[in-house]
């Protein structure tokens, strides 16, 4: 992919070396509004846009209209997740991964609300990364859910 030089662009290539179109990446914010993790996600989004605009096609999903409105105001494609129930969220994310052709889903914030989204994305064939914003110990259920992700940090 790219080096650490700021001017380099990440490129997506097919197996034969030909250039692919932009990689569809979904970002999910599980916070309740415009808190610290939403601002963290906005900084990540701006960095992707600045460095990889031709290689990444981001779509943002949120549990709170406040967080999706904040990202939409910055010009990003956003959707507020509608389902409030665990199973509903699993099937909603599965449908959205297919609808947007997402290759990767990045979950941002505490792990518990992301478990059904991780399951939905994985069952639709997407890779999953999780950025954990929590200082408390994980529950067993959260640990199990995170074990389904491809990468956690």
């Amino acid at each position: 992919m790219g080096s650490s030089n700021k001017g380099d662009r990440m490129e997506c290539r097919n197996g034969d070396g030909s250039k692919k179109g932009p990689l569809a990446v979904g970002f999910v914010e599980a916070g309740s509004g415009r808190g610290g993790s939403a601002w963290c996600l906005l900084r990540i989004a701006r960095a992707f846009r600045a460095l990889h605009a031709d290689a990444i096609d981001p779509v943002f999903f949120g549990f709170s209209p406040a967080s999706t409105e904040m990202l939409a105001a910055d010009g990003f494609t956003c959707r507020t997740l509608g389902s409030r129930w665990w199973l509903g969220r699993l099937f909603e994310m599965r449908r959205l991964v297919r609808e947007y052709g997402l290759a990767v889903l990045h979950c941002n914030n505490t792990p518990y609300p992301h478990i059904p989204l991780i399951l939905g994305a994985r069952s639709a064939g997407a890779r999953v990364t999780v950025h954990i914003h929590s200082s408390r110990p994980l529950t067993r259920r959260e640990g199990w859910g995170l074990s389904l992700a491809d990468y956690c940090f």
Side-chain angles (χ1 to χ4, degrees):
M1 300 258 239
S3 72
S4 61
N5 295 337
K6 230 178 175 185
D8 288 349
R9 296 275 184 191
M10 183 168 55
E11 290 186 345
C12 300
R13 298 217 172 254
N14 293 310
D16 63 1
S18 62
K19 192 172 180 182
K20 285 184 178 182
L23 183 69
V25 178
F27 294 86
V28 179
E29 170 55 44
S32 60
R34 299 173 185 253
S37 68
W39 283 103
C40 177
L41 185 59
L42 181 59
R43 285 192 301 274
I44 291 169
R46 287 175 175 164
F48 269 116
R49 182 170 52 197
L51 297 173
H52 308 298
D54 56 345
I56 301 290
D57 184 18
V59 180
F60 295 89
F61 306 102
F63 292 131
S64 164
S67 59
T68 52
E69 287 167 6
M70 183 175 74
L71 287 154
D74 219 62
F76 294 102
T77 302
C78 298
R79 296 236 339 228
T80 301
L81 297 172
S83 181
R84 292 179 175 259
W85 306 107
W86 209 86
L87 196 57
R89 285 184 176 170
L90 185 153
F91 287 116
E92 182 178 17
M93 185 49 61
R94 183 181 173 132
R95 180 183 54 76
L96 291 169
V97 165
R98 291 178 175 158
E99 180 181 324
Y100 286 98
L102 300 178
V104 177
L105 181 69
H106 174 80
C107 300
N108 188 60
N109 211 335
T110 55
Y112 187 78
H114 288 119
I115 295 171
L117 307 180
I118 293 168
L119 288 166
R122 292 299 303 239
S123 69
R127 306 285 304 256
V128 177
T129 62
V130 180
H131 185 180
I132 302 168
H133 296 266
S134 181
S135 58
R136 64 170 176 72
L138 298 175
T139 65
R140 286 186 192 161
R141 186 171 290 165
E142 288 173 324
W144 171 79
L146 292 176
S147 73
L148 302 172
D150 293 289
Y151 188 75
C152 298
F153 56 99

